[in-house]
Amino acid sequence: QTKTGIALLYDEVSENAYDIRLKLTKEVLTIQKQDVVCVSGSDHSANHRTVTLRRQPVGGLGLSIKGGAEHKVPVVISKIFKDQAAEQTGMLFIGDAIIQVNGINVESATHEEVVHLLRNAGDEVTITVQYLREAPSFLKLPLGSPGPSSDHSSGASSPLFDSGLHLNGNSTSTAPSSPSSPIANEPKYEKRWIDTMSVPLSMARISRYKTGTDKLRSNAFEVLALDGVSTGILQFYTAQESADWLRTMSTNISDLTLQNMKMANKCCSPSDQVIHMGWVNERIEATDSSQLYKFKFLALKGSSFYIFSTPPVSTLDWVRAEKIYNLCEVLFKIHKVWLTDDYWLQANLYLGIHQDFDLEDQRPYCFSVMVGHGKSHFFNVELGSELAVWEKSFQRAIFLEVQRTGSKTYMCSWQGDTLCFTVDFALGFTCFDSKTKNVLWRFKFSQLKGSSDDGKTRVKLLFQNLDTKQIETKELEFQDLTAVLHCIHSFIAAKVASVDPVFIDSQSIARKYIYSN
């Protein structure tokens, strides 16, 4: 999708925001700033332009100014009046910072000092200007080409209001002065949007949060390229604008990720395909019990779930993952879905979503991936649609791995005997002696009626005997009980999905509620 629009670039150090234009294509986000460029003739003064204005009896210099050193900004031209002195030069533009007045440097002057100089500069005023590409938004300078203005300021000047009419000064001549006009050989200038940064969207990531915190930026987000280059904070005038840009950029990034997956899959065997991959934020518990978030890149590929600090861009990168888990032994769980900003808790209660984490966590669209030995990773994504995709992708990747694997066998023990416990997609559960290979018992998935465990190593599995209809309890001890329980869950879910796919889809929390809202 392509898109163009006006936004603000927020500087967190100065706490000022500057007008920019965004140009979005399928592959690149370009940031543009306005500048004055020489379009003909020779420009010897580089960025500075020196212009002589002839004060007119009606309209004076034909411009208004804003700003001043008291606001830590230079004095800038805020209005240029049609058919008056400033416009007739063809060399002055809204947003030009005034550097000198009749040879006097005014870069550090207050608003009132510049007003005084211009008012008392005589009939001919020579000013040197330079276009201020990063004019703070609080100056409220209009964008685009100068046009007619009917707004005339009062005699009192203020740095945040236009000072214009009282710049007329006192003309020493009653005859109309000749108009200010460019000399034939002088260079001509235009105000244009200039590309200042281009951010490739392939493998890029977006964040609406202040770095490492739960603090959501208001109507703003940041885009970071694969190499870490940041757009800075892109701020929008309304929540709707921000949401539209966020969705469109996310869609373009997702489309490029899909292309990258297809390219990677050409080099992979059918059993080792990439199902899904993308950026998330992982919650990290700091040593002082505070919560930090770090960008992580997740991938579901073949039999494994990968966690990277940076995306894999070559086949060699796949072995450099921070963590690799077998898909049969992980459990995906949605923790939080915000239906509206104020009602996420009520939604959780209504949906019956289990809360393992503190309610102080203010990030929506959260999920966890529980792994072996009782450990888990807690993630959040920027959009509800991304959460739905991760939920569906984990389901698909796990089901495919269960069907490919067919069975998983774990060493276990009971009452001093070393046993083997097998979960088989076709046969169900089998327990046999590890030495003699004699089968001790076997049950179908449908015969499992319940289970309980001590949270450490022991589990009780309750099976119904098909002949007697009685419940038989089988107790086993595993080195990594969590992995075994997750494996049982994966095989049963895959079995149900193979029999009744509609049922599995109906259990999707993210898709069911996010898309409908």
Side-chain angles (χ1 to χ4, degrees), residues 195-259:
D195 293 354
T196 58
M197 175 185 286
S198 291
V199 177
L201 295 179
S202 179
M203 299 292 193
R205 57 192 191 268
I206 298 175
S207 178
R208 293 185 294 159
Y209 296 88
K210 292 184 179 178
T211 306
T213 73
D214 284 331
K215 294 181 179 177
L216 192 67
R217 294 189 175 101
S218 178
N219 302 340
F221 57 82
E222 178 182 15
V223 183
L224 296 103
L226 176 61
D227 60 4
V229 172
S230 168
T231 58
I233 311 305
L234 305 178
Q235 203 167 53
F236 299 87
Y237 292 98
T238 66
Q240 185 63 52
E241 274 187 298
S242 177
D244 287 346
W245 275 96
L246 181 64
R247 276 193 293 266
T248 307
M249 285 191 206
S250 296
T251 298
N252 288 11
I253 291 171
S254 296
D255 289 345
L256 291 170
T257 301
L258 192 60
Q259 289 180 23

Side-chain angles (χ1 to χ4, degrees), residues 39-231:
V39 294
S40 67
S42 56
D43 182 7
H44 302 292
S45 57
N47 294 326
H48 290 190
R49 283 162 281 129
T50 299
V51 184
T52 298
L53 296 171
R54 296 182 181 87
R55 196 187 304 273
Q56 298 180 12
V58 178
L61 301 177
L63 56 82
S64 295
I65 61 171
K66 274 185 180 179
E70 62 270 48
H71 283 275
K72 300 180 181 178
V73 291
V75 171
V76 296
I77 296 174
S78 57
K79 288 183 181 177
I80 292 178
F81 296 92
K82 190 170 179 62
D83 298 327
Q84 294 187 18
E87 189 194 50
Q88 289 167 356
T89 67
M91 294 179 65
L92 295 176
F93 299 87
I94 292 173
D96 277 340
I98 298 177
I99 308 298
Q100 291 184 348
V101 176
N102 285 346
I104 301 171
N105 190 288
V106 295
E107 288 180 274
S108 300
T110 66
H111 183 86
E112 197 58 49
E113 287 170 341
V114 177
V115 168
H116 179 76
L117 269 176
L118 291 171
R119 182 190 295 153
N120 297 285
D123 288 344
E124 282 201 356
V125 183
T126 300
I127 62 174
T128 300
V129 298
Q130 178 182 12
Y131 189 75
L132 186 63
R133 292 175 69 177
E134 295 185 347
S137 60
F138 65 74
L139 289 175
K140 292 182 167 53
L141 300 180
L143 297 173
S145 302
S149 174
S150 59
D151 180 36
H152 296 281
S153 305
S154 65
S157 64
S158 166
L160 292 182
F161 293 93
D162 298 287
S163 299
L165 191 62
H166 56 286
L167 299 182
N168 289 352
N170 296 314
S171 177
T172 55
S173 172
T174 56
S177 57
S178 57
S180 304
S181 56
I183 301 170
N185 294 329
E186 284 194 350
K188 294 181 181 178
Y189 296 88
E190 284 183 7
K191 186 191 282 190
R192 292 181 179 176
W193 288 103
I194 307 297
D195 293 354
T196 58
M197 175 185 286
S198 291
V199 177
L201 295 179
S202 179
M203 299 292 193
R205 57 192 191 268
I206 298 175
S207 178
R208 293 185 294 159
Y209 296 88
K210 292 184 179 178
T211 306
T213 73
D214 284 331
K215 294 181 179 177
L216 192 67
R217 294 189 175 101
S218 178
N219 302 340
F221 57 82
E222 178 182 15
V223 183
L224 296 103
L226 176 61
D227 60 4
V229 172
S230 168
T231 58

Side-chain angles (χ1 to χ4, degrees), residues 443 447-449 462-466 469-472:
F443 294 97
Q447 290 177 267
L448 181 64
K449 299 304 177 183
L462 309 178
F463 297 102
Q464 186 178 46
N465 188 297
L466 292 178
K469 305 300 181 185
Q470 298 297 309
I471 297 296
E472 296 183 21

Side-chain angles (χ1 to χ4, degrees), residues 314-388:
S314 71
T315 53
L316 294 175
D317 290 339
W318 288 94
V319 298
R320 297 171 185 158
E322 290 182 352
K323 301 285 183 181
I324 304 176
Y325 300 103
N326 184 277
L327 279 166
C328 289
E329 297 176 351
V330 302
L331 183 65
F332 176 93
K333 184 158 55 169
I334 286 179
H335 283 274
K336 196 182 296 178
V337 181
W338 276 6
L339 305 187
T340 67
D341 286 349
D342 299 324
Y343 297 114
W344 69 267
L345 180 56
Q346 291 89 325
N348 282 349
L349 296 174
Y350 175 73
L351 301 177
I353 301 173
H354 183 58
Q355 287 286 341
D356 283 341
F357 299 91
D358 295 338
L359 297 181
E360 286 78 14
D361 184 357
Q362 293 299 302
R363 293 199 176 202
Y365 313 131
C366 301
F367 67 92
S368 68
V369 181
M370 301 174 71
V371 296
H373 297 288
K375 296 180 180 178
S376 64
H377 295 271
F378 187 82
F379 304 106
N380 120 278
V381 288
E382 298 291 335
L383 296 171
S385 56
E386 292 178 305
L387 184 62

Side-chain angles (χ1 to χ4, degrees), residues 457-483:
T457 59
R458 292 186 180 184
V459 63
K460 289 181 180 180
L461 300 174
L462 309 178
F463 297 102
Q464 186 178 46
N465 188 297
L466 292 178
D467 297 324
T468 65
K469 305 300 181 185
Q470 298 297 309
I471 297 296
E472 296 183 21
T473 301
K474 303 298 181 183
E475 195 165 348
L476 299 171
E477 191 167 351
F478 296 90
Q479 189 174 8
D480 186 358
L481 177 60
T482 308

Side-chain angles (χ1 to χ4, degrees), residues 283-303:
R283 191 171 78 177
I284 310 294
E285 296 292 342
T287 52
D288 59 356
S289 298
S290 62
Q291 296 173 3
L292 300 173
Y293 280 86
K294 290 187 177 180
F295 280 114
K296 298 291 180 181
F297 192 86
L298 307 186
L300 304 173
K301 180 176 181 286
S303 62

